[in-house]
Amino acid sequence: MGEKKRITIKDIANVLKISPAAVSKALHDDSRISAKTKAAVKRVAKELNYQPNHLASALRKGKSNLVGVIVPKTNSNFFSSVVENMESVLNKAGYNIIITQSNESFEKECRNIDTLLYTQVDGIIASMANETVDLSHYEKIKSKGIPLILFDRGENDLNVDYIGIDDYQSSHMIVEHLISKGCKRIAHIGGFRRTRIYNNRIRGYIDAIHEHHLPQDDVLLIESNLDLEDGRIKMKELLALDHPPDAVYVASDYAALGALQVLNEQHIKVPEDICLVGFGNEPFTSLVSPTITTVSQHSKQIGKIAAETFLKRINTKNWKPKLDKNILKSELIVRDSSNRDLSIKSS
Amino acid sequence: MGEKKRITIKDIANVLKISPAAVSKALHDDSRISAKTKAAVKRVAKELNYQPNHLASALRKGKSNLVGVIVPKTNSNFFSSVVENMESVLNKAGYNIIITQSNESFEKECRNIDTLLYTQVDGIIASMANETVDLSHYEKIKSKGIPLILFDRGENDLNVDYIGIDDYQSSHMIVEHLISKGCKRIAHIGGFRRTRIYNNRIRGYIDAIHEHHLPQDDVLLIESNLDLEDGRIKMKELLALDHPPDAVYVASDYAALGALQVLNEQHIKVPEDICLVGFGNEPFTSLVSPTITTVSQHSKQIGKIAAETFLKRINTKNWKPKLDKNILKSELIVRDSSNRDLSIKSS
DNA sequence: TTGTTTTGCTTAAACGTTTAAGCAAACTTT
DNA sequence: AAAGTTTGCTTAAACGTTTAAGCAAAACAA
């Protein structure tokens, strides 16, 4: 039971009375090895239950075939779906992934990057924590010369490949949807402006309001950390206004759910009295009552494209400075919370 | 911009005109290196921005300081919380984790194990896919001589450390809770008996029913795959009975939510007409209306203990065959769906 | 003084692969 | 038959680290 001896290519070589180099080449189907020897090597390898030592080959070849992934939270449908699709593309190309989570903490994100670099990953695919403003640790990755690809939460200052949805356009689309449903006073519970994606959503909201000649009222535009509890708080603020809105567009499904709870508790009819739209297409949006209109971020696409971009970078030796900025179109998923029948509009 | 030369201990050695071995020892605070040399080495290491090559040291030392983790789905609150706590314990001990997901597929689980072994992980912490019945690939881990720790979804046949909650006792507790609320005809939408944890929940249900001298009616015990849709289907079956139940205990929150949707749609009052209890304490159970009574599985504890068990195994050279079977007590979280006021019981 | 211990380093081998270079034998061409 | 090419392997070095063993010099003991 004690020491299980590792089987190495040397052991295979000894059995067949050939050199370890020949074994290595046979296992890699080198053209300079005879078919007979290849067959013999593979047979013995199987017999001895040989498992290649990844560390040794990675060390020798100077690449680990590992890709580091950093997400704010695995526990979100969006990110877990992104990762799943990333993984399937990368696995097919012979890469494995190491997933780390930053928990939206800048500190943790820095440590994750150090960990990944230390583990000698061949590249990093990341979505930035909300807290992150200092980009020096990301520069560290670039200075190492390994590919860095950002998705969803990116930064334009950092000159790297990026995959995400068009937040500006999504926001614009949501506002137009609400206008089409007869809403005239549309509020936005948004994220903090310093985060690029939330800033874009705010801009999309404002521009759409202007384009359709609706009055822009500053009290209708609120910044929030977008968690469920804050959604509740901000919704209550909106309801306490002298002139409350007839539609609320919330930049995250979680906060939208909080808002919906408040509306339900106060017996305000959704969508008849107030229309509600969330963002992200979290599964629960189709489970609550009424179901919440939201925006799908194409997590599968994002994961797939991020992985493919990494592979492209790795496989093109001449590091072209031209960057991939992949902006996907999002999809509006209309559900009950905004699906107002125009003929029986109340008040 | 082209080739960034890697800094190695040799470079540091050259600068200081000492041997690489001395540098290595200095960096590890070996007692046989003078304080002066140590300081100089560390200074130069910082100046050159030296990053140790993990692959090389792992190869030489025969350990990678990586722990493989296999979960059915990262996208569940339970598993992501387990992993988060596991990670924090392991990071402190100098280990990093590689997360893989089986998506409940036996196939994928096998490939995950191969991947992890190939990556030379020092141990594997896993929760088995529902599909898994053949355990030979887990035996492969054991035969490699590296620690294997199972959590939540384990198997008694496999002689390994295990951390989970006491499903039997949890089930028992739920039934007693429902009885205390005046329920007399308690149904159970359970998982498949071949999965150990679901079998235990079924046993706990049956035994509690018997102990309290309630009639055990076979039509009230249903096996299900426990997803939301099947929860709906099974709930409808129960409602179609000649003599429907006055309480339903569902072995998963997702299926419980499906059941709740059906009850709401059919305007059956919960908890007044039927009490409902789920399992797992998924976040949405506190978000829907009415909120769902459920059981918390102590994901934090499980993650922490699993990690600590791994460290114990790694650090005790003399592989003691005595196994850790850590069975935690679960916690009943009583919410509206079962919180019936006994004085105004209907019918 | 001489012998012993401690200190502070060096040398060299090892971890398991990969791969450039080399070389004999077999085959092909002229 | 001589020269060249191809085939099929071997040798040896390398990847960057760790570590056992060795050895001078310094410090200490008698």
Side-chain angles (χ1 to χ4, degrees):
Chain A
M1 353 222 86
E3 299 302 276
K4 319 272 168 190
K5 197 196 165 299
R6 291 203 72 103
I7 303 293
T8 74
I9 51 173
K10 269 189 186 170
D11 299 314
I12 301 177
N14 285 339
V15 170
L16 295 169
K17 308 289 176 208
I18 58 176
S19 72
V23 173
S24 173
K25 285 175 183 163
L27 290 172
H28 290 90
D29 276 325
D30 189 295
S31 63
R32 301 290 291 273
I33 299 293
S34 70
K36 202 198 292 179
T37 307
K38 280 179 190 169
V41 165
K42 285 173 185 169
R43 184 176 46 75
V44 174
K46 186 156 282 176
E47 274 172 24
L48 299 181
N49 189 27
Y50 165 72
Q51 294 275 126
N53 185 325
H54 173 248
L55 296 174
S57 79
L59 174 61
R60 174 59 226 243
K61 294 202 288 194
K63 61 176 298 200
S64 64
N65 277 52
L66 289 173
V67 179
V69 176
I70 306 174
V71 292
K73 270 270 173 207
T74 61
N75 156 27
S76 119
N77 201 59
F78 173 69
F79 286 118
S80 87
S81 168
V82 168
V83 169
E84 191 179 328
N85 285 78
M86 222 151 57
E87 193 179 10
S88 91
V89 172
L90 292 175
N91 281 351
K92 272 178 204 127
Y95 287 90
N96 290 308
I97 68 177
I98 300 186
I99 305 168
T100 62
Q101 36 184 178
S102 66
N103 293 323
E104 301 286 9
S105 145
F106 173 70
E107 267 272 16
K108 185 84 196 298
E109 192 173 76
C110 292
R111 269 189 290 130
N112 284 344
I113 290 178
D114 284 341
T115 294
L116 291 176
L117 292 179
Y118 173 69
T119 317
Q120 310 290 129
V121 293
D122 291 342
I124 290 181
I125 304 180
S127 189
M128 284 175 30
N130 268 333
E131 268 185 39
T132 302
V133 276
D134 177 4
L135 303 175
S136 55
H137 54 304
Y138 279 106
E139 295 289 351
K140 202 155 93 183
I141 301 174
K142 286 176 64 186
S143 77
K144 280 255 163 189
I146 66 173
L148 167 63
I149 285 117
L150 294 180
F151 68 95
D152 191 47
R153 314 264 198 82
E155 260 299 342
N156 274 327
D157 307 354
L158 220 53
N159 258 339
V160 296
D161 297 311
Y162 172 81
I163 297 95
I165 60 160
D166 186 337
D167 286 286
Y168 177 88
Q169 179 264 336
S170 307
S171 224
H172 206 277
M173 176 174 65
I174 288 169
V175 171
E176 293 198 321
H177 163 70
L178 288 170
I179 290 172
S180 81
K181 291 295 175 183
C183 302
K184 303 257 179 265
R185 203 169 149 72
I186 301 170
H188 179 40
I189 301 177
F192 297 117
R193 273 202 170 82
R194 54 176 153 76
T195 308
R196 200 178 54 78
I197 57 171
Y198 296 125
N199 187 38
N200 286 341
R201 289 181 199 174
I202 291 171
R203 288 195 309 104
Y205 160 78
I206 293 175
D207 287 1
I209 292 283
H210 284 165
E211 278 172 34
H212 290 270
H213 310 295
L214 292 185
Q216 193 214 323
D217 191 338
D218 281 351
V219 296
L220 295 182
L221 176 51
I222 305 182
E223 289 187 38
S224 157
N225 69 18
L226 294 178
D227 67 15
L228 190 139
E229 193 46 44
D230 211 47
R232 293 181 59 96
I233 293 169
K234 298 302 192 284
M235 188 69 230
K236 283 179 186 166
E237 284 178 29
L238 287 173
L239 291 176
L241 290 177
D242 289 343
H243 193 12
D246 60 2
V248 181
Y249 151 39
V250 191
S252 119
D253 282 337
Y254 288 95
L257 180 59
L260 180 61
Q261 287 177 355
V262 169
L263 290 166
N264 281 341
E265 286 162 13
Q266 305 203 2
H267 303 293
I268 294 167
K269 282 193 216 128
V270 178
E272 290 81 359
D273 298 335
I274 292 186
C275 283
L276 182 71
V277 177
F279 205 108
N281 197 24
E282 288 291 332
F284 64 75
T285 53
S286 65
L287 305 179
V288 293
S289 158
T291 54
I292 303 176
T293 295
T294 187
V295 162
S296 162
Q297 297 171 89
H298 297 304
S299 47
K300 283 169 197 174
Q301 280 291 320
I302 292 183
K304 188 163 165 284
I305 296 177
E308 287 166 350
T309 306
F310 163 78
L311 292 174
K312 209 160 55 182
R313 283 288 170 206
I314 273 284
N315 294 327
T316 46
K317 285 286 153 271
N318 50 338
W319 185 264
K320 47 168 186 187
K322 193 177 155 293
L323 297 174
D324 259 25
K325 295 279 176 200
N326 245 297
I327 310 297
L328 304 177
K329 262 207 161 172
S330 59
E331 182 188 359
L332 184 68
I333 299 174
V334 178
R335 297 211 186 87
D336 294 343
S337 71
S338 72
N339 208 3
R340 168 144 104 180
D341 186 340
L342 285 176
S343 56
I344 47 168
K345 201 172 22 163
S346 64
S347 104
Chain B
M1 350 225 89
E3 300 301 278
K4 319 274 168 190
K5 197 195 164 300
R6 290 204 71 106
I7 304 293
T8 73
I9 51 172
K10 268 189 185 170
D11 298 314
I12 302 177
N14 286 339
V15 170
L16 295 170
K17 310 286 177 210
I18 58 178
S19 71
V23 174
S24 173
K25 285 176 185 163
L27 290 172
H28 289 89
D29 277 325
D30 190 296
S31 62
R32 301 290 290 272
I33 300 293
S34 71
K36 202 197 292 176
T37 307
K38 280 180 189 170
V41 166
K42 285 173 184 169
R43 183 176 47 74
V44 174
K46 186 156 283 177
E47 275 170 23
L48 298 181
N49 188 27
Y50 166 72
Q51 293 274 126
N53 185 325
H54 172 248
L55 296 173
S57 78
L59 174 60
R60 174 58 227 239
K61 294 203 288 194
K63 61 177 299 199
S64 64
N65 277 53
L66 289 172
V67 180
V69 176
I70 306 173
V71 292
K73 271 271 174 208
T74 60
N75 157 27
S76 120
N77 200 59
F78 173 69
F79 286 118
S80 89
S81 169
V82 167
V83 169
E84 191 179 330
N85 286 76
M86 225 151 56
E87 194 178 11
S88 92
V89 171
L90 291 175
N91 281 351
K92 274 179 203 127
Y95 287 90
N96 290 308
I97 69 177
I98 299 184
I99 305 169
T100 62
Q101 32 181 185
S102 67
N103 293 322
E104 301 286 10
S105 144
F106 173 70
E107 267 274 14
K108 185 85 196 298
E109 191 174 78
C110 292
R111 269 190 290 132
N112 285 343
I113 290 178
D114 284 340
T115 294
L116 292 176
L117 291 179
Y118 174 70
T119 316
Q120 310 291 129
V121 294
D122 291 341
I124 290 181
I125 305 180
S127 189
M128 285 175 28
N130 268 334
E131 268 184 40
T132 303
V133 276
D134 176 4
L135 302 174
S136 56
H137 54 306
Y138 279 106
E139 295 289 351
K140 201 156 94 184
I141 302 174
K142 285 177 66 186
S143 78
K144 281 253 166 195
I146 66 174
L148 167 63
I149 285 117
L150 293 180
F151 69 94
D152 191 46
R153 314 265 198 82
E155 260 300 342
N156 274 327
D157 307 353
L158 219 52
N159 259 338
V160 296
D161 298 311
Y162 173 80
I163 299 94
I165 60 159
D166 186 337
D167 286 286
Y168 177 88
Q169 179 265 333
S170 307
S171 223
H172 206 277
M173 178 173 65
I174 288 169
V175 172
E176 291 198 323
H177 162 71
L178 289 170
I179 291 172
S180 80
K181 291 296 176 182
C183 301
K184 303 254 180 270
R185 200 168 153 71
I186 301 170
H188 178 42
I189 301 177
F192 297 117
R193 273 201 169 84
R194 54 176 152 76
T195 310
R196 200 178 53 79
I197 58 171
Y198 296 125
N199 188 38
N200 286 340
R201 289 181 198 172
I202 291 171
R203 289 196 306 107
Y205 159 79
I206 294 175
D207 287 0
I209 292 282
H210 285 164
E211 278 172 34
H212 291 269
H213 308 297
L214 292 185
Q216 194 214 322
D217 192 337
D218 281 351
V219 296
L220 296 180
L221 175 52
I222 304 182
E223 289 188 36
S224 159
N225 70 18
L226 294 178
D227 67 15
L228 190 138
E229 193 45 45
D230 212 46
R232 292 181 60 96
I233 293 168
K234 298 303 192 283
M235 188 70 228
K236 283 178 184 167
E237 284 179 29
L238 286 172
L239 291 176
L241 290 177
D242 289 342
H243 193 9
D246 59 3
V248 181
Y249 151 40
V250 190
S252 121
D253 282 337
Y254 289 95
L257 179 59
L260 180 61
Q261 287 177 354
V262 169
L263 290 166
N264 281 341
E265 285 162 14
Q266 306 204 3
H267 304 292
I268 293 166
K269 284 195 216 126
V270 178
E272 290 81 358
D273 297 335
I274 292 187
C275 284
L276 183 70
V277 178
F279 205 108
N281 197 25
E282 288 292 329
F284 65 76
T285 52
S286 65
L287 306 177
V288 293
S289 155
T291 54
I292 303 176
T293 296
T294 187
V295 162
S296 161
Q297 296 172 89
H298 297 304
S299 48
K300 285 170 195 172
Q301 280 290 320
I302 291 183
K304 187 162 167 282
I305 296 177
E308 287 167 349
T309 306
F310 163 77
L311 293 174
K312 209 159 56 180
R313 284 288 170 205
I314 273 285
N315 293 328
T316 45
K317 286 284 154 270
N318 50 337
W319 184 267
K320 48 169 186 187
K322 195 177 152 293
L323 297 174
D324 260 24
K325 294 281 176 199
N326 246 297
I327 310 296
L328 305 176
K329 262 208 162 172
S330 59
E331 183 189 359
L332 184 68
I333 299 175
V334 178
R335 297 211 185 88
D336 294 343
S337 71
S338 72
N339 208 3
R340 168 143 103 179
D341 186 340
L342 287 177
S343 56
I344 46 167
K345 203 171 20 162
S346 65
S347 107

